[in-house]
Amino acid sequence: MISEKQRAAEAAVEYVKDGMIVGLGTGSTTEFAVRKLGEMVRDGLAIRGIPTSDVTKKLAEDEGIPLIDFSETMYIDLTIDGADEIDADLNMIKGGGAALLREKIVASASRAEIIIVSGQKYVKQLGGFPLPVEVIPFGWQVIFNELETLGGSPDLRLKQGQPLLTDQGNFIIDCRFRQIIAATQLEQRLNMIPGVVENGLFIGLCSRMILADGEKIVVRERKKR
Ligand code: 5RP
């Protein structure tokens, strides 16, 4: 029995064509896509990938997918990534896997971004999932305080009792806002706090959502900003 995640991932890789530069997202849903792309590469598909995390880099290397970085290109043809929440406008919360910074850089360099999700990630209103905010370690407490002032309930993400370190050596503060109504303004406001490197609101960056809901595949499209 194929899971919803795998179903969405396998629908997404059908958009990958010979010669493309492909952004490789992070997370358990994207893992299915990377593994499938590996199979396709071994069957002769010629692509070059740009991974969004060290974990995905390792997986792609193990799968034999040739990788490049931004010293070789300024754009990506197509990125396949997951999300923690996505709404009807295809705006998202990402960063549950702590890769939001590289994911956002890759998304903004991508001509098309396919987001693959299982049914329960589709929400009416963003905000049920705590918003990941990536901050530099110095003065994180000040940022924490600022997030409270903004009406959020912040929580420093830990791993084995220590602050989790992202691939860039930063911390993540997960901040619950309950309902996020003015997402664009919040995204900009958060990034204005000194020490905030990026936040997990991805606004206008998804061009196609592929959602697997039981046996059904739902595809929704919109123009990237
Ligand atoms: C990583 C992400 C992931 O795409 C998101 O957390 C979804 O992960 P999963 O597919 O494991 O549910 O944003 O930073």
Side-chain angles (χ1 to χ4, degrees), residues 199-212:
N199 70 81
L201 280 167
F202 280 52
I203 309 300
L205 290 171
C206 171
S207 50
R208 180 178 287 123
M209 172 187 75
I210 300 182
L211 176 142

Side-chain angles (χ1 to χ4, degrees), residues 51-156:
T52 53
S53 63
D54 293 347
V55 168
T56 298
K57 181 169 187 277
K58 165 88 173 58
L59 175 65
E61 282 168 352
D62 291 348
E63 289 291 329
I65 301 173
L67 299 179
I68 58 170
D69 61 28
F70 287 111
S71 64
E72 294 182 60
T73 185
M74 281 294 138
Y75 72 88
I76 292 173
D77 294 297
L78 169 65
T79 288
I80 300 175
D81 204 350
D84 299 299
E85 279 188 350
I86 185 161
D87 69 11
D89 294 325
L90 308 194
N91 293 327
M92 304 174 273
I93 290 183
K94 286 183 51 51
L100 64 143
L101 177 54
R102 291 188 194 177
E103 286 173 336
K104 206 182 264 193
I105 294 170
V106 165
S108 42
S110 298
R111 289 175 172 156
E113 169 110 346
I114 299 183
I115 294 297
I116 48 178
V117 284
S118 46
Q120 87 284 359
K121 304 273 186 82
Y122 188 74
V123 296
K124 271 213 175 102
Q125 189 85 56
L126 297 177
F129 192 90
L131 180 67
V133 180
E134 181 157 348
V135 306
I136 67 161
F138 178 85
W140 69 266
Q141 299 87 341
V142 179
I143 303 165
F144 190 99
N145 207 32
E146 188 80 14
L147 291 171
E148 282 182 324
T149 308
L150 278 181
S153 305
D155 202 9
L156 183 67

Side-chain angles (χ1 to χ4, degrees), residues 12-52:
V13 299
E14 288 180 17
Y15 292 87
V16 177
K17 304 290 174 224
D18 242 2
M20 279 186 168
I21 297 175
V22 182
L24 305 170
T26 294
S28 55
T29 316
T30 313
E31 185 178 334
F32 286 111
V34 176
R35 290 195 189 281
K36 186 70 191 172
L37 286 173
E39 252 177 71
M40 291 160 71
V41 164
R42 291 192 291 282
D43 286 343
L45 177 75
I47 56 167
R48 290 174 296 159
I50 299 195
T52 53

